[in-house]
Amino acid sequence: MDRSRVLRFLSQVETCRVVLLMVLVVAFVSGLQYFELAPVLSIVSPGNGTVSEYRESNDTTKSTENETFLASQEASTELKPYNNITSEVLKSSEHKFLNDSPKIEASGQSRRSNETASSLHSLQPRIPQIHKKYPHRSTKKPPVVVISITQMNKMILKRHNDPKNSLAPRWGLKVDEELRTARDKIKNVGLLKKDDNLYAPLYHNLSIFKRSYELMEQTLKVYIYSEGDRPIFHQPEAIMEGIYASEGWFMKLMESNHRFLTKDPNIAHLFYLPFSTRILQQKLYVHDSHSRRNLVKYLKNYLDLIASNYPFWNRTRGSDHFFTACHDWAPAETRGPYINCIRSLCNADVGVDFVVGKDVSLPETKISSSQNPNGNIGGNRPSKRTILAFFAGNLHGYVRPILLNQWSSRPEPDMKIFNRIDHKSYIRYMKRSRFCVCAKGYEVNSPRVVESVLYGCVPVIISDNFVPPFLEILNWESFAVFVPEKEIPNLRKILISIPVRRYVEMQKRVMKVQKHFMWHDGEPVRYDVFHMILHSVWYNRVFQTF
Ligand SMILES: *[C@@H]1O[C@H](CO)[C@@H](O)[C@H](O)[C@H]1NC(C)=O
Ligand SMILES: *[C@@H]1O[C@H](CO)[C@@H](O)[C@H](O)[C@H]1NC(C)=O
Ligand SMILES: *[C@@H]1O[C@H](CO)[C@@H](O)[C@H](O)[C@H]1NC(C)=O
Ligand SMILES: *[C@@H]1O[C@H](CO)[C@@H](O)[C@H](O)[C@H]1NC(C)=O
Ligand SMILES: *[C@@H]1O[C@H](CO)[C@@H](O)[C@H](O)[C@H]1NC(C)=O
Ligand SMILES: *[C@@H]1O[C@H](CO)[C@@H](O)[C@H](O)[C@H]1NC(C)=O
Ligand SMILES: *[C@@H]1O[C@H](CO)[C@@H](O)[C@H](O)[C@H]1NC(C)=O
């Protein structure tokens, strides 16, 4: 929609040959891990809110499904849960996914056996050691390697079950012991009893989530460094609205939190770095400079300060530090010395350098009014959702032009695929459509994912390598449809092949998952989006205590 951020970086760095020192030592096939050596900048004029593409017509009431059947299914709560929607829908389409066991880079593995107590402090967990050149990743072309959501789930499990987790804590600290205890308790949870507030089919494993969440409430302590100048640090007020607002909301709720904060860094399990990547860009990016260098420098200076004033950063090289960052440039800005942090990023692209199981996908929540952060939540019942699929948005990136070319002028009246439309119509469509297409823009993320959920529309994610929020916990395939970019021509076929019964259950799950995507001003509420972000950070921390 109206992404007002307009600048992207230009291919210009071929000449610079910057030698990047950081490389991912993670459970990826190495081919995945390209760096954005040459960020692309192009100037796009912000849309001016034309409504011309909005075609309201009577044919929207045409439906592909049998309305009576829909209505009868809605009432039924006896439907079997299913977890299979994408695999079934997509099994017809041959897709090149990674094989099941991504290689682990060798360097991190062999060294453990040879550590001595005295060397421990100088050894860093999972520190990138390899100097490697990465191909330029263009935001104008599809990724070379596509990782399916199923594959990402496996990668998380693999990382969290790494045998190194069962080794003794590195630093013999009390906090490490506490994390270890928490991990054992989560792993051995068995079956907890049902919880009326949590709908089991939404989760990979509800017992694990519940136990982990409760342990977070009982155990977690977060320390916030007081260093950091305003407005880039410590000033969430300036970033409470717009498409980057989640970094502001998180910062505000974290800094004012009563439950999790500690003033004693020695008992902290996590260290929060309270900066806004949006304000960083607004304050420091030199218009037309095509360079992020001073932004990166600013963040580096901050770390130097933290590392010299406190022992905590050096102790783990940042792996118990975290931040939330919603600006598109955040991954590139934080891959230098910040690469070991638990990076909570809106731009969560597993094809670049987002590490599933370590980093955390930050929901992009577009907030129009900070008084009412969740918007005019709600939408029609399934039987009153007469439009099969809806999308509207500017033609950012390479996916949307394909989507519009394929679908905007086709005869099928149940496909409402538009260029930009006005906001009111956009919301009305979301509330009346069965499926809402969340197509990649310049980057993998889109505010449509959370919007779909809040308006009760089943998300259809067309964004290869996007890591959806809370993937550690949520079984996304049970309530969203993931359509590979190259399947855009089959979009309608894929959607109408989903049986009504399944659709109704999916939609129900979307309604049930809403609470995990809602902000609450003042005191955050149990299981809301603030707590879910914090929980994912906690969970990934607990499962990598080495
Ligand atoms: C912007 O709006 C004006 C009139 O409101 C219109 O003439 C112009 O074509 C629009 N520009 C774009 C880029 O849509
Ligand atoms: C829509 O329906 C109304 C009455 O139901 C009719 O007057 C109008 O012409 C229709 N519009 C289109 C575009 O079919
Ligand atoms: C609608 O669904 C009902 C129940 O499955 C079925 O009996 C009826 O024939 C269907 N009608 C149409 C038009 O498909
Ligand atoms: C999932 O789909 C596969 C293949 O379509 C099938 O063999 C399996 O039984 C399904 N699992 C569930 C839980 O429905
Ligand atoms: C451990 O390191 C020492 C030298 O620091 C080396 O001689 C020895 O071979 C190493 N042992 C293993 C198991 O790598
Ligand atoms: C959830 O995980 C626990 C611990 O690994 C396991 O005992 C339990 O059976 C799992 N529950 C489900 C529903 O898979
Ligand atoms: C942490 O490491 C950096 C660089 O190696 C060093 O300059 C700094 O003094 C260290 N901090 C502490 C508290 O020892």
Side-chain angles (χ1 to χ4, degrees):
M1 283 293 291
D2 55 354
R3 298 191 158 232
S4 53
R5 55 86 162 96
V6 285
L7 302 174
R8 312 210 125 238
F9 279 51
L10 246 196
S11 288
Q12 57 158 187
V13 191
E14 273 87 0
T15 46
C16 295
R17 311 254 162 173
V18 179
V19 180
L20 292 179
L21 302 178
M22 50 299 167
V23 162
L24 311 178
V25 186
V26 293
F28 280 2
V29 170
S30 52
L32 290 176
Q33 308 161 345
Y34 4 97
F35 274 53
E36 230 175 350
L37 266 181
V40 176
L41 190 140
S42 61
I43 310 289
V44 180
S45 63
N48 63 359
T50 49
V51 294
S52 57
E53 298 86 354
Y54 174 55
R55 291 170 293 160
E56 181 63 286
S57 66
N58 297 353
D59 61 21
T60 58
T61 54
K62 276 189 200 157
S63 166
T64 49
E65 300 281 8
N66 183 328
E67 299 285 336
T68 33
F69 183 58
L70 258 180
S72 72
Q73 287 302 311
E74 231 176 310
S76 162
T77 51
E78 296 303 301
L79 293 170
K80 272 200 205 126
Y82 64 94
N83 301 304
N84 239 358
I85 190 79
T86 357
S87 55
E88 285 205 12
V89 166
L90 296 179
K91 72 176 175 237
S92 57
S93 61
E94 277 301 304
H95 206 67
K96 188 171 151 262
F97 293 137
L98 282 182
N99 63 32
D100 279 2
S101 27
K103 282 175 238 142
I104 294 191
E105 298 268 9
S107 76
Q109 290 204 313
S110 52
R111 306 155 68 228
R112 243 294 169 178
S113 57
N114 217 7
E115 284 166 11
T116 61
S118 63
S119 70
L120 283 180
H121 287 259
S122 60
L123 273 169
Q124 291 83 38
R126 295 188 178 273
I127 296 298
Q129 302 282 346
I130 307 157
H131 298 220
K132 204 173 185 177
K133 261 181 130 178
Y134 285 90
H136 163 52
R137 188 189 71 93
S138 170
T139 55
K140 295 180 173 156
K141 280 190 289 195
V144 179
V145 182
V146 177
I147 302 181
S148 72
I149 202 81
T150 315
Q151 187 61 42
M152 290 180 206
N153 284 327
K154 286 184 184 155
M155 288 161 76
I156 292 173
L157 287 178
K158 194 176 161 91
R159 188 174 176 96
H160 286 181
N161 289 318
D162 191 309
K164 275 180 278 175
N165 271 321
S166 48
L167 297 171
R170 278 190 106 97
W171 299 283
L173 299 172
K174 185 155 165 286
V175 287
D176 284 334
E177 283 298 347
E178 286 165 354
L179 290 170
R180 216 163 112 90
T181 305
R183 189 183 64 229
D184 292 344
K185 283 184 176 165
I186 296 167
K187 277 196 160 166
N188 299 319
V189 58
L191 270 178
L192 296 186
K193 63 172 198 304
K194 264 177 59 183
D195 185 322
D196 291 341
N197 293 313
L198 301 170
Y199 186 56
L202 290 177
Y203 309 93
H204 292 306
N205 181 317
L206 178 57
S207 301
I208 287 185
F209 173 51
K210 271 190 67 176
R211 175 55 51 83
S212 173
Y213 191 94
E214 287 162 8
L215 286 166
M216 171 180 86
E217 290 180 321
Q218 292 160 17
T219 318
L220 175 62
K221 289 296 168 212
V222 178
Y223 181 77
I224 307 181
Y225 295 109
S226 58
E227 285 82 355
D229 292 333
R230 284 158 216 270
I232 292 168
F233 284 83
H234 300 293
Q235 192 168 303
E237 295 78 18
I239 184 75
M240 300 298 282
E241 291 182 353
I243 57 175
Y244 307 113
S246 50
E247 62 181 27
W249 276 79
F250 186 88
M251 192 195 301
K252 181 166 178 233
L253 295 171
M254 191 75 246
E255 291 211 306
S256 62
N257 195 277
H258 300 300
R259 177 161 215 152
F260 298 107
L261 287 191
T262 177
K263 291 194 156 51
D264 178 3
N266 292 299
I267 65 164
H269 308 89
L270 288 166
F271 295 78
Y272 172 54
L273 308 173
F275 58 80
S276 159
T277 50
R278 170 57 164 170
I279 300 176
L280 179 72
Q281 174 253 327
Q282 285 178 332
K283 295 290 168 197
L284 295 183
Y285 178 68
V286 178
H287 187 66
D288 270 352
S289 67
H290 301 183
S291 168
R292 284 187 287 234
R293 197 164 298 170
N294 53 335
L295 284 66
V296 171
K297 185 99 198 317
Y298 187 90
L299 290 181
K300 182 178 182 304
N301 289 346
Y302 174 74
L303 272 197
D304 289 345
L305 182 71
I306 293 301
S308 58
N309 283 1
Y310 302 85
F312 310 108
W313 178 270
N314 286 2
R315 188 172 74 188
T316 61
R317 276 268 184 109
S319 65
D320 51 1
H321 288 54
F322 78 103
F323 57 85
T324 54
C326 201
H327 194 264
D328 285 11
W329 298 349
E333 287 161 1
T334 59
R335 64 175 57 125
Y338 286 82
I339 196 72
N340 286 326
C341 291
I342 298 173
R343 304 188 303 161
S344 183
L345 302 167
C346 286
N347 186 356
D349 188 342
V350 74
V352 184
D353 57 9
F354 185 95
V355 180
V356 291
K358 173 180 89 70
D359 295 330
V360 168
S361 175
L362 179 64
E364 178 174 0
T365 56
K366 182 178 173 185
I367 295 180
S368 306
S369 159
S370 59
Q371 309 302 308
N372 180 22
N374 306 311
N376 191 6
I377 187 171
N380 289 0
R381 302 179 317 210
S383 63
K384 300 282 184 202
R385 290 182 177 264
T386 50
I387 298 159
L388 178 65
F390 164 65
F391 172 85
N394 287 331
L395 292 183
H396 297 163
Y398 64 90
V399 168
R400 295 181 186 179
I402 300 171
L403 183 69
L404 260 83
N405 281 344
Q406 285 283 334
W407 292 108
S408 64
S409 55
R410 289 268 283 262
E412 289 87 353
D414 53 5
M415 298 289 288
K416 299 293 179 198
I417 306 291
F418 304 128
N419 203 309
R420 186 186 169 80
I421 63 175
D422 67 290
H423 188 64
K424 262 208 180 119
S425 312
Y426 178 88
I427 302 299
R428 273 205 304 149
Y429 271 117
M430 284 227 154
K431 294 183 171 196
R432 292 189 301 152
S433 299
R434 235 166 274 166
F435 295 100
C436 288
V437 174
C438 311
K440 178 184 278 181
Y442 292 123
E443 304 295 341
V444 287
N445 52 307
S446 163
R448 287 166 189 76
V449 177
V450 174
E451 284 171 336
S452 303
V453 168
L454 294 185
Y455 297 122
C457 187
V458 171
V460 177
I461 294 170
I462 309 184
S463 181
D464 289 352
N465 292 343
F466 172 57
V467 183
F470 318 135
L471 185 62
E472 300 82 7
I473 292 303
L474 292 180
N475 181 6
W476 271 86
E477 287 171 290
S478 84
F479 60 87
V481 182
F482 292 82
V483 175
E485 290 165 12
K486 66 175 204 158
E487 297 298 330
I488 288 174
N490 298 320
L491 178 58
R492 186 165 182 278
K493 205 158 72 189
I494 290 169
L495 297 181
I496 61 179
S497 77
I498 296 171
V500 175
R501 174 190 291 268
R502 292 204 158 179
Y503 173 76
V504 172
E505 173 62 20
M506 285 186 105
Q507 201 272 347
K508 176 180 171 185
R509 293 177 188 187
V510 167
M511 302 300 286
K512 298 276 186 192
V513 88
Q514 280 176 347
K515 69 158 141 253
H516 294 320
F517 292 93
M518 290 168 68
W519 291 108
H520 295 279
D521 209 351
E523 204 60 33
V525 170
R526 244 185 148 208
Y527 303 121
D528 72 359
V529 64
F530 169 78
H531 284 118
M532 290 300 285
I533 296 165
L534 190 62
H535 177 267
S536 278
V537 174
W538 150 262
Y539 191 72
N540 283 352
R541 176 70 189 132
V542 162
F543 279 97
Q544 44 169 29
T545 48
F546 54 94

